[in-house]
Amino acid sequence: MNVIELNREEYLESVKKIEDFKTLNFSKSALEWWDNYYSWEKFPPLCLSDKKKHFCYLFYNISKDNEYLTIHNIFTPNKYRAKGYAYQLLEYLFSHFSNQNIKRFKLNCVSSSLDFYNKLGLEYWGINELSQYYCDFKMPLLDIKEIPLIVKNSHLDEISDERILKIFDSLKDNGTTLDEKMSEKFEESKDKLKGRYHFDLLLKRVEKIKNDI
């Protein structure tokens, strides 16, 4: 298996071959997101490939100040799932950027991805209005295997007050404004989130910041 970069035309040609509608639709959303907000030249999506077959895709960017590596989208067509391909792509991403002085990484994941991210050792600060769970931790020094220990030793005081308030602004409703379908998914996900969902700690940090102003 090799990790390659895809330009816009190569990506379009690749995802045309996706057979399941849900993944195909997700790939189109990723395309539109990149067209509107990011650079195909500066941050081309990564693809796990072997003998011209494409198995998994990952969209990411790095902030101008090198503060954050942000994982935007990672997806695998149905017929290639449960084979560890998404893990291989993330493993490559963290190893590739571990020595470039990036301070933190962040991502938003949907409820259907919680099992995968839980296995990586991730935990969550809250849920946004799109029913996505927010992660924000120190960047591994070497590779993805460091994440469980990073998460275990993490603390919200690592993040600046200004940044905390911005994070809270997107998570402050804590699922209370979700539509009925998303609310049901939130409730169904609570067993998976036990011991991993820390909105209460985020709220306490915000209250402390506001009291100190």
Side-chain angles (χ1 to χ4, degrees):
M1 288 286 184
N2 299 307
V3 175
I4 61 174
E5 294 179 343
L6 300 176
N7 62 35
R8 191 180 189 278
E9 291 72 25
E10 291 167 337
Y11 175 78
L12 272 172
E13 188 62 30
S14 177
V15 298
K16 284 179 182 177
K17 301 171 185 176
I18 296 175
E19 298 172 356
D20 62 285
F21 177 77
K22 187 174 181 180
T23 309
L24 181 61
N25 191 47
F26 193 81
S27 73
K28 290 179 179 178
S29 297
L31 171 74
E32 292 170 359
W33 183 255
W34 232 239
D35 281 346
N36 292 329
Y37 300 105
Y38 294 97
S39 167
W40 288 89
E41 290 74 29
K42 190 171 183 180
F43 299 110
L46 303 179
C47 177
L48 193 66
S49 174
D50 185 47
K51 297 178 181 178
K52 297 184 178 181
K53 286 186 178 181
H54 293 169
F55 299 94
C56 188
Y57 307 83
L58 190 155
F59 285 77
Y60 75 95
N61 84 294
I62 299 169
S63 60
K64 291 180 180 179
D65 57 4
N66 246 32
E67 181 73 20
Y68 277 97
L69 165 69
T70 302
I71 299 164
H72 291 275
N73 295 301
I74 182 166
F75 58 94
T76 307
N78 274 350
K79 65 180 180 179
Y80 298 134
R81 289 181 185 173
K83 300 180 186 297
Y85 294 147
Y87 182 87
Q88 287 184 53
L89 260 188
L90 281 175
E91 186 176 36
Y92 171 88
L93 184 73
F94 283 112
S95 296
H96 186 69
F97 288 109
S98 62
N99 61 348
Q100 298 192 26
N101 298 317
I102 300 168
K103 297 179 178 64
R104 303 184 68 82
F105 73 93
K106 62 178 178 174
L107 61 88
N108 288 298
C109 76
V110 296
S111 58
S112 59
S113 300
L114 284 173
D115 286 337
F116 173 72
Y117 286 112
N118 286 354
K119 288 177 182 177
L120 294 184
L122 290 177
E123 299 183 2
Y124 317 91
W125 299 119
I127 184 172
N128 64 21
E129 61 183 10
L130 299 176
S131 194
Q132 299 168 329
Y133 299 89
Y134 182 77
C135 299
D136 190 325
F137 295 101
K138 286 182 178 179
M139 188 73 176
L141 295 176
L142 295 174
D143 59 43
I144 197 171
K145 296 180 181 66
E146 298 169 42
I147 287 178
L149 187 59
I150 288 172
V151 171
K152 181 181 178 181
N153 294 329
S154 69
H155 198 283
L156 282 170
D157 287 340
E158 299 167 355
I159 307 174
S160 70
D161 290 354
E162 180 182 8
R163 180 66 193 165
I164 285 288
L165 293 176
K166 286 182 179 179
I167 293 170
F168 181 72
D169 191 53
S170 67
L171 306 176
K172 60 187 176 184
D173 293 327
N174 195 32
T176 58
T177 60
L178 298 176
D179 62 30
E180 184 177 351
K181 183 178 179 180
M182 291 299 187
S183 293
E184 288 176 0
K185 287 187 176 181
F186 185 32
E187 290 300 317
E188 291 170 1
S189 297
K190 286 187 175 177
D191 281 342
K192 297 178 183 178
L193 292 168
K194 282 182 179 177
R196 295 179 178 270
Y197 190 75
H198 306 298
F199 181 78
D200 56 334
L201 297 179
L202 177 62
L203 183 59
K204 287 179 182 177
R205 172 73 195 280
V206 169
E207 290 172 346
K208 183 178 184 301
I209 293 170
K210 292 180 176 180
N211 288 336
D212 289 343
I213 294 176

